[in-house]
Amino acid sequence: MLSDSLPWFASAGLLAGTLAGAHAQPTLKDAFKDSFLVGAALNPEQFSGKAGCENSLIVTQFNTISPENVLKWGRVHPEPDQYNFGPADRYVEFGQKNHMFIVGHALVWHHQTPPWVFRDEERNLVDRDTLLKRMHDHIATVVGRYKGKIGGWDVVNEAVDEDGKLRQSPWLKIIGEDYILKAFHYAHEADPGAELYYNEYSAENWRKRAGTIALIRKLRSQGVSIAAVGLQGHYTMDWPKPRALDKTIKAFAALGVKVSVTELDVDVLPSPTSSQAAEVSLSFARQPKFNPYTNGLPVSVERALAERYAGLFAVFVKDREMMSRVTFWGVTDASSWLNNWPIRGRTSYPLLFDRDCSPKPAFDAVIKTAMARACK
Ligand code: GLA
C-alpha cells in the first residue's frame, strides 16, 4: 500500500508545504498546527519580498509574523506631528496577503522611544497628564490604523526589572505605576477585537517571574483583559533550564492567560557577560575569543544546538494547551540581531535556518518533537 511506504507526516497532511529545492519535509507551521502558531520577526527587506531565499522560507514555514522594528515608537512616530506608516503598512499588507496572524510590537517600551516623548520644548520632563495624552494619542493612532488587521499587540514591553520591581523607566517615573493599566485601556479602546499582550525577558528567573506574576495578577484584578504573556525567549545553550521554562509557562497559565514565546533564539557564541538580560543597550568591545566560528559552526556545536532546541520544544509541546504561539526573532542566521548584539560584527548561529536558508540539524530536531507527539 502506498501509505505504508510514506513517512508518517505524509499521511498526517504535513507535506502540504515543502522547502523550496529540498527533499520533502514537514514545515514548522504544519508540524505544530494542532499545538500553536509558529512565527518569525521580519525586517523591511523580508516583508517587501526582497530577501531572496528567506522569502520562500517565510511563506512556507510560518503562519504568524512580528515586526522587528517598524512598529516601534521611534520608527512609526519619530516626531510629535509625524507618523511614518509606509513600512508598517507594507508589513501588514505582507501578512494579509499570506494569510498570517499579524502581531504588533511594541506600543510602550523604554527603548527605541524618542526623547521628545518625555520632554517639553525646554527639554524638561513633561507632567503625568501630558505623557498620558501622548501615550493615548500614539496608541489610538497606531492601533486604530490597523484595527481588524493586526490580531494582537505587545502593549507593554519589559516593565519589570531583574529584581522583580517595576523598572524605573521614564514611563513609571512620570506617570506612576498605572501607566501599564492605562496603556492596556487605550489599546483596548482603539481595537476591542485585538488580543493584548504583556511581553518580558528573563521571566524564567524567579525574582523577575514573581514580579511579573504580581503585575499580571494586579492588572487582571483591575479588569484588564490580557490574552497572553510573552516570554521573549532570547536563550543561551544552558539558560534557562527546561524545568525553569516549564515552571514559568505553568505559573502564567495558572493566572488565566496564555503564554507565547515571542522572540526565540539560542545564542551559541561565548558571552562577554554573565547577565541573562536581553538588554538591548548592552555593548562590549570586539575580541576574537568572542567570535570563534567565523568559518562555520563545528559539527559538535551544531549537534549541541539541535539538542538544546529539542529540549526547549519538548517543553512547548508538553505545555501546548497553555501556549498560543512560538515566534523566532529572525528567519535565518544571516538576519539575526545576535550578529550585532551585544558585540557588533560577530558570526552568530541562533536560528533554525543557516545563511543559505537551508534547514539546520536544529530544524530537524524541532520537527521531531512534533513527530514524537503525533506518534503517541
Ligand atoms: C527586545 C525587543 C525586541 C528587539 C530585541 C532585540 O527583546 O522586545 O523588539 O529589539 O530586544 O532585537
Side-chain angles (χ1 to χ4, degrees):
M1 247 164 61
L2 181 62
S3 61
D4 289 335
S5 59
L6 285 175
W8 71 273
F9 48 78
S11 54
L14 294 181
L15 284 179
T18 56
L19 292 172
H23 59 285
Q25 267 174 310
T27 64
L28 293 168
K29 67 180 177 189
D30 289 329
F32 294 101
K33 73 176 188 311
D34 297 327
S35 301
F36 37 73
L37 298 174
V38 187
L42 305 187
N43 64 34
E45 266 201 333
Q46 293 162 339
F47 60 71
S48 307
K50 295 180 187 151
C53 63
E54 288 190 328
N55 278 109
S56 36
L57 280 185
I58 295 165
V59 297
T60 50
Q61 295 291 329
F62 303 109
N63 48 19
T64 171
I65 51 172
S66 298
E68 204 173 343
N69 285 301
V70 295
L71 274 165
K72 289 177 182 165
W73 194 310
R75 297 291 181 94
V76 76
H77 189 182
E79 302 289 340
D81 300 318
Q82 187 198 326
Y83 281 89
N84 173 25
F85 281 124
D89 285 356
R90 286 206 305 281
Y91 162 73
V92 171
E93 281 156 20
F94 179 88
Q96 288 187 303
K97 192 173 108 203
N98 293 296
H99 313 288
M100 292 161 151
F101 182 81
I102 306 169
V103 176
H105 168 88
L107 295 170
V108 175
W109 191 26
H110 57 286
H111 283 304
Q112 295 182 257
T113 302
W116 66 260
V117 174
F118 306 111
R119 302 205 171 254
D120 64 18
E121 276 156 13
E122 277 86 53
R123 303 202 43 76
N124 297 315
L125 289 180
V126 293
D127 61 18
R128 167 180 161 93
D129 288 346
T130 307
L131 188 55
L132 275 175
K133 181 165 178 356
R134 286 181 184 174
M135 182 205 266
H136 170 270
D137 293 353
H138 175 83
I139 292 178
T141 308
V142 177
V143 175
R145 183 177 183 91
Y146 302 111
K147 185 175 176 177
K149 297 178 179 171
I150 287 190
W153 281 95
D154 288 337
V155 180
V156 177
N157 197 24
E158 304 175 356
V160 179
D161 225 328
E162 302 317 284
D163 61 3
K165 299 197 178 110
L166 285 185
R167 180 187 296 279
Q168 290 296 317
S169 70
W171 296 108
L172 180 72
K173 287 185 189 152
I174 298 172
I175 297 176
E177 282 193 26
D178 63 342
Y179 84 89
I180 303 171
L181 174 75
K182 296 282 187 190
F184 274 90
H185 278 168
Y186 298 156
H188 182 67
E189 225 169 63
D191 185 355
E195 294 186 344
L196 305 181
Y197 314 129
Y198 175 73
N199 199 44
E200 190 55 89
Y201 66 70
S202 307
E204 297 79 0
N205 292 343
W206 73 268
R207 277 198 185 82
K208 194 155 188 179
R209 181 166 62 235
T212 311
I213 287 173
L215 171 66
I216 302 299
R217 201 173 264 146
K218 184 163 178 198
L219 289 168
R220 284 181 48 90
S221 76
Q222 292 167 317
V224 175
S225 103
I226 300 182
V229 167
L231 305 177
Q232 288 187 1
H234 295 297
Y235 295 149
T236 66
M237 294 293 275
D238 50 20
W239 177 87
K241 300 280 180 239
R243 207 165 353 121
L245 180 57
D246 181 47
K247 191 170 170 180
T248 306
I249 293 170
K250 292 200 167 99
F252 286 114
L255 302 177
V257 295
K258 289 275 184 185
V259 178
S260 293
V261 176
T262 54
E263 306 183 15
L264 183 60
D265 45 30
V266 176
D267 198 353
V268 300
L269 297 183
S271 175
T273 165
S274 60
S275 165
Q276 287 145 354
E279 172 51 56
V280 291
S281 60
L282 283 180
S283 176
F284 297 90
R286 247 187 256 188
Q287 285 183 56
K289 68 173 178 185
F290 291 129
N291 192 19
Y293 309 129
T294 49
N295 295 323
L297 202 57
V299 173
S300 60
V301 186
E302 192 82 85
R303 255 193 230 129
L305 179 67
E307 273 167 34
R308 175 66 170 140
Y309 262 113
L312 294 172
F313 270 79
V315 175
F316 303 154
V317 168
K318 184 166 80 67
D319 292 345
R320 64 191 174 280
E321 276 162 21
M322 298 166 229
M323 301 198 46
S324 44
R325 170 167 63 94
V326 175
T327 293
F328 292 85
W329 204 246
V331 178
T332 68
D333 288 341
S335 54
S336 167
W337 73 301
L338 290 173
N339 292 302
N340 290 303
W341 181 91
I343 299 177
R344 295 200 68 78
R346 291 196 297 174
T347 309
S348 196
Y349 299 85
L351 296 169
L352 301 187
F353 299 97
D354 70 15
R355 285 172 167 72
D356 298 322
C357 296
S358 299
K360 295 159 54 172
F363 172 89
D364 299 327
V366 162
I367 293 287
K368 270 193 199 140
T369 64
M371 289 164 54
R373 158 168 149 61
C375 292
K376 270 183 195 156

